[in-house]
Every structure is written in C-alpha cells, then in structure tokens.
Amino acid sequence: MSKRVGITITEHILSRQRENPEATGAFTNLLHELIVAAKVISREVNKAGLVDILGGTGQINVQEEAVQKLDVFANRVIIERMRHVGQLCCMGSEELADPIEIPAAYPKGNYILLFDPLDGSSNIDVNVSIGTIFGIYKKISEDKAKDFLLCDLLQPGYKQVAAGYFIYGSSTIMVYTTGDGVHGFTLYPSVGEFLLSHDNIRIPSKGKIYSVNEGNYPYWDEKTRALVDYFKGMGKESSKPYTSRYVGSLVADFHRNLLKGGIFMYPADRKDPRKPSGKLRLMVEANPLAMVVQQAGGYASDGRGPILKIDPKDLHQRVPLYIGSKEDVELAESFLSGRISSLSPSR
Ligand code: P6P
C-alpha cells in the first residue's frame, strides 16, 4: 500500500503545486472550490430519500431530458461556488445551452470549467450511484475586449489540464488527474475530508467486462452488433464470453471498469434521429473520462479514433463512446472499421 494513502486531497494538490515551479496556486484554488461544491452535492444526494427533493421538476433541460431536482441543485451549487473563485473566464454545463459567463462583479481567471453536474440523474430515485464529471482547460483567446470566446470552450480533449469525476455511491469518491497519473480519494463524512484511497490507479490492459445497453441492439449497425456479439462469445468472431455489467449511470460503469478492467460502450444508434451519434456528450462526459482513462493506461475512442483528438464543433455535441482497457477498445475499433477479418476463438 502506498505510503501516501490517507493523506488529504488538499495535501495531495499542494504537493503537486510544490513540484511545479510555475504554479501560482490558481489551479489549487480552483480545484479546492470544486471539491467544496462536491461535498455540498454529496450531502444532498445522500439524504435525497429523506427530504422532498426527489422526483422531477417538470422542466426539460437543453438535452431534452427530464430534469430531476437534484440536477438543478447540483448545477446551481457548482455555478454559484465556482463563479466567484476568480480563476475562471467562463464555464459550460451539460444542463445549460449557452456558456456561463462570470458576472462583471466577480474577478476572472484563465481557466475554463466544463461539467456535467449530476450524471446518471435518471437513477436518483432508485438510489443508484450518480456523479459529477469535470474537465478544466486553459484560456486560449487573446481578445482583451472579451472575457472569453467560444474557442476557449471548444478545445480538443487533449488540451485539458485536469479532469475527473465525483461518484456519489456507497461512499463518495473523487477521481482526478492533472496529467501525472490518476488518483482516487474517499470522503470521510464525519471529518469532511477526501482522503487518498486509490494512489496511481492503473486500468488492466485487457478486461473481462463489457458494459452496453443491449436494449439498443435493434438500432445498431451490423459492425456494432458483431462487436457486441463478440464480447458475448457469439457471432462469427467468437471468443470466450465477457461478463456483462451495465448500471445505466456512466460514472458508476466507468469507475468499476477503471478499477477492474473492461470496456464501456455507448454506440451510435438509429433510436433517435436527433441523436445519431448516441446519447453521450463529448465536452462534459467523453473528454474528461478519456483523459482519466488515458492517464490510467487505458484508451477512449469514438469507434474510429481517439476521443481526445476530436475537434469540437458544438458545446453539446454527442459522440459514440468506447472507453476502458486499451486492448478491448482497440479491438472495438477493429470491428467498427471493418479491419477485423478473423479472430482465433482462443483470443
Ligand atoms: P441509456 C444517464 O442518463 C446517462 O447520460 C449516462 O450516465 C448513462 O451511461 C447513459 O445515460 C445511460 O443511457 O440509454 O442506456 O439509459
């Protein structure tokens, strides 16, 4: 066990800051405030069954998804806490159509925060783990007359300076990377501190788990079906069957595969003509998790190539997602590109 297990997230971030001679403390300040926001969200999520904040608000968000009260709460907590930190020039939320400006009264900074405030919210009422996903970029625009430009928000994922997620489950865990490995911290509720519990997470190069919503099988193309049939040990290219695990909450499915190995897939499908690339969002879901998994030795693809190299066109664009153990994701690319000719069953 690493000698560092048990140190606080604050000490972990500060030790990183001390190792970086150019560090000004701005990033440390930004991450610290995000952690406070997550603690507030965690408290509400963990008592959701006890107070009347369950159920929908009757509103629909920019993704045309029923908005749960905790979604609204989490979105508001993050925006209100982060906008006065003085380290951001703007934000982007999965819940809001437009970029979030920092009010004139507040100091601005040179970072951009993109986030999904409460992913998996359809699981809130049934007590399944849900999460907050975030990616942080440096400002690139130089127009002095503007706090930010759209190009600051629409950067490819490899430009992220940090990314991670909070998973609100049997315990609240924060997993993040600043480009120097992936580390997990578990919230010690009675102390109110995140303590290092998973030092330098590495994902197995090949797993035994596949995660996909097989209810969408009728809406997939032939190559996608062949790929999933392979993981099931069926079809022309048979293999030893993998185990199927699917929670329906991206952060929960991703976190399990990160620790145990395996592949999570949300393929393009014909289910909704408005969402031909599937359901998941590039900027606030795929890119942050792609940075985490790559830093842990894994890989994330849209089926053709690296998620992190996609040039974004829209803040809310959707993307097919294949993410997890490197060998499994590369195999998925082989099926989806048609490169697969024949695989020995022993593979
Ligand atoms: P489906 C939750 O709404 C979410 O955005 C992700 O957390 C999850 O992976 C996905 O949708 C589940 O979608 O279509 O399988 O229910």
Side-chain angles (χ1 to χ4, degrees):
M1 180 183 284
S2 154
K3 63 181 184 305
R4 300 190 308 171
V5 167
I7 66 169
T8 65
I9 177 78
T10 304
E11 175 48 36
H12 193 269
I13 297 170
L14 285 172
S15 67
R16 288 273 181 275
Q17 179 184 319
R18 286 192 289 267
E19 290 160 9
N20 175 357
E22 291 98 56
T24 62
F27 180 75
T28 299
N29 179 206
L30 173 60
L31 212 46
H32 184 265
E33 284 302 317
L34 185 59
I35 289 164
V36 174
K39 289 179 184 176
V40 173
I41 295 167
S42 172
R43 185 196 60 202
E44 291 306 308
V45 166
N46 289 329
K47 68 180 186 181
L50 303 174
V51 297
D52 179 33
I53 54 174
L54 283 179
T57 60
Q59 298 168 347
I60 297 290
N61 70 8
V62 66
Q63 311 296 341
E64 296 176 12
E65 292 166 342
V67 179
Q68 301 273 349
K69 287 178 184 175
L70 270 175
D71 269 0
V72 175
F73 173 81
N75 193 52
R76 183 162 53 79
V77 164
I78 293 173
I79 291 171
E80 289 179 1
R81 176 152 292 279
M82 299 310 293
R83 66 184 177 186
H84 73 257
V85 172
Q87 307 302 345
L88 295 171
C89 62
C90 65
M91 292 183 263
S93 168
E94 185 258 354
E95 291 287 326
L96 300 174
D98 300 320
I100 302 158
E101 298 183 3
I102 307 301
Y106 294 119
K108 315 290 186 295
N110 291 317
Y111 290 101
I112 294 96
L113 172 68
L114 300 183
F115 62 95
D116 183 351
L118 207 57
D119 176 77
S121 52
S122 54
N123 294 295
I124 291 173
D125 289 1
V126 293
N127 205 28
V128 164
S129 297
I130 52 184
T132 298
I133 307 171
F134 65 91
I136 299 171
Y137 297 78
K138 284 283 268 188
K139 180 179 177 181
I140 54 175
S141 64
E142 295 175 351
D143 182 340
K144 298 286 183 242
K146 301 245 188 216
D147 289 341
F148 69 93
L149 298 177
L150 193 56
C151 65
D152 292 311
L153 291 121
L154 298 183
Q155 300 183 52
Y158 71 87
K159 295 273 195 166
Q160 291 173 113
V161 294
Y165 57 90
F166 299 89
I167 181 168
Y168 312 110
S170 49
S171 57
T172 293
I173 293 178
M174 173 189 184
V175 173
Y176 89 110
T177 181
T178 56
D180 183 22
V182 177
H183 311 285
F185 300 79
T186 300
L187 183 61
Y188 191 169
S190 56
V191 173
E193 273 290 357
F194 278 99
L195 303 181
L196 182 64
S197 50
H198 302 72
D199 189 22
N200 196 26
I201 298 173
R202 304 294 294 170
I203 185 171
S205 60
K206 189 179 186 309
K208 296 185 175 59
I209 294 171
Y210 77 98
S211 310
V212 70
N213 182 347
E214 299 200 48
N216 293 332
Y217 193 94
Y219 306 108
W220 293 336
D221 66 20
E222 285 312 311
K223 291 182 179 131
T224 304
R225 291 180 182 183
L227 169 65
V228 175
D229 287 347
Y230 169 83
F231 285 123
K232 293 159 74 91
M234 301 162 55
K236 189 160 63 79
E237 316 286 352
S238 66
S239 100
K240 287 190 293 296
Y242 284 48
T243 295
S244 172
R245 290 285 183 275
Y246 193 73
V247 176
S249 177
L250 174 60
V251 176
D253 282 314
F254 176 82
H255 186 69
R256 178 202 54 244
N257 291 0
L258 179 70
L259 298 183
K260 293 181 179 288
I263 181 171
F264 172 91
M265 300 174 275
Y266 207 104
D269 63 48
R270 296 185 292 271
K271 193 172 183 179
D272 182 342
R274 296 166 301 171
K275 303 173 188 173
S277 297
K279 183 177 183 181
L280 300 183
R281 276 74 58 160
L282 172 63
M283 300 311 290
V284 296
E285 290 169 325
N287 269 336
L289 298 184
M291 179 179 184
V292 170
V293 82
Q294 177 165 295
Q295 280 290 316
Y299 177 43
S301 169
D302 64 355
R304 291 189 305 274
I307 287 284
L308 292 176
K309 289 191 175 174
I310 296 174
D311 271 327
K313 301 292 181 290
D314 179 86
L315 187 56
H316 296 285
Q317 75 184 66
R318 299 173 192 269
V319 67
L321 181 62
Y322 300 83
I323 188 168
S325 294
K326 194 168 189 299
E327 289 182 41
D328 293 328
V329 177
E330 288 174 341
L331 181 77
E333 285 184 334
S334 299
F335 269 91
L336 297 169
S337 67
R339 284 198 299 273
I340 282 276
S341 51
S342 67
L343 274 179
S344 64
S346 61
R347 178 185 170 80

